[in-house]
Amino acid sequence: YGEEIGMLGSGIDQNKRLGMLWQSDSKEGIPYNPSGADYTAQRDTSVANQEKDKTSLLNFYRLAASIRNKSTLYELGSVEAVDTGNDAIYMMKFSDVSSALYVIHNYSDIEQIVQVEGQIHSADHLQSNTLKDNVLTMLPFSTSIVYLEGTTQ
């Protein structure tokens, strides 16, 4: 219902089911609202506008989906939470008998440093985090995926 482009709806259920705004500069891209909807706020977050902005929420979701699709560990591997000793960091390990990866989230509004255990193969970052010598420097509210040796992408 548009959350992936930051569309909002509030109050009654019909307002939470507003149509996806494909274009904001043409009547062809503006869908009809469901019967009973009374949401009147400005709706200017369109797919067309977000496709042009590489930092948009839509492009963030596309990047996240492309990273997720690189490995079957998310759906076929086992998952466990990893205690980092830092309440600002949430780390999950996805693994099978031959490979593993970490999904690491910084939930704080300050930069965090995370020590990553294991032989690292590569990493994907949803923001501009850096990984050097098993030390991950994470921007506020960011996510990284670290692939260990043996992990195929």
Side-chain angles (χ1 to χ4, degrees), residues 10-145:
S10 62
I12 62 174
D13 187 58
Q14 292 89 334
N15 290 343
K16 297 174 187 163
R17 299 179 183 278
L18 301 175
M20 177 75 79
L21 187 58
W22 294 98
Q23 300 177 48
S24 58
D25 58 352
S26 150
K27 287 187 178 187
E28 293 174 9
I30 301 175
Y32 293 106
N33 288 332
S35 177
D38 61 3
Y39 191 74
T40 59
Q42 177 68 23
R43 294 176 59 197
D44 58 1
T45 303
S46 70
V47 171
N49 289 343
Q50 292 218 359
E51 284 180 327
K52 297 174 193 171
D53 178 3
K54 70 179 191 173
T55 65
S56 73
L57 187 57
L58 175 62
N59 284 319
F60 175 85
Y61 271 96
R62 286 179 172 165
L63 175 61
S66 71
I67 291 171
R68 186 212 175 275
N69 291 337
K70 285 183 177 183
S71 176
T72 60
L73 285 175
Y74 298 106
E75 57 188 293
L76 302 175
S78 63
V79 62
E80 64 183 279
V82 178
D83 184 3
T84 64
N86 180 343
D87 289 341
I89 300 296
Y90 182 71
M91 183 185 300
M92 296 175 294
K93 181 179 183 181
F94 293 83
S95 61
D96 62 16
V97 295
S98 62
S99 58
L101 63 85
Y102 293 109
V103 176
I104 309 164
H105 303 285
N106 176 4
Y107 286 130
S108 75
D109 60 355
I110 59 173
E111 182 178 282
Q112 299 289 323
I113 306 297
V114 180
Q115 182 70 38
V116 181
E117 301 296 327
Q119 292 292 107
I120 296 173
H121 175 269
S122 61
D124 283 313
H125 307 287
L126 293 176
Q127 292 81 11
S128 298
N129 296 333
T130 58
L131 177 65
K132 183 176 181 186
D133 299 326
N134 288 59
V135 176
L136 177 62
T137 304
M138 300 188 75
L139 296 175
F141 305 113
S142 64
T143 298
S144 287
I145 294 84

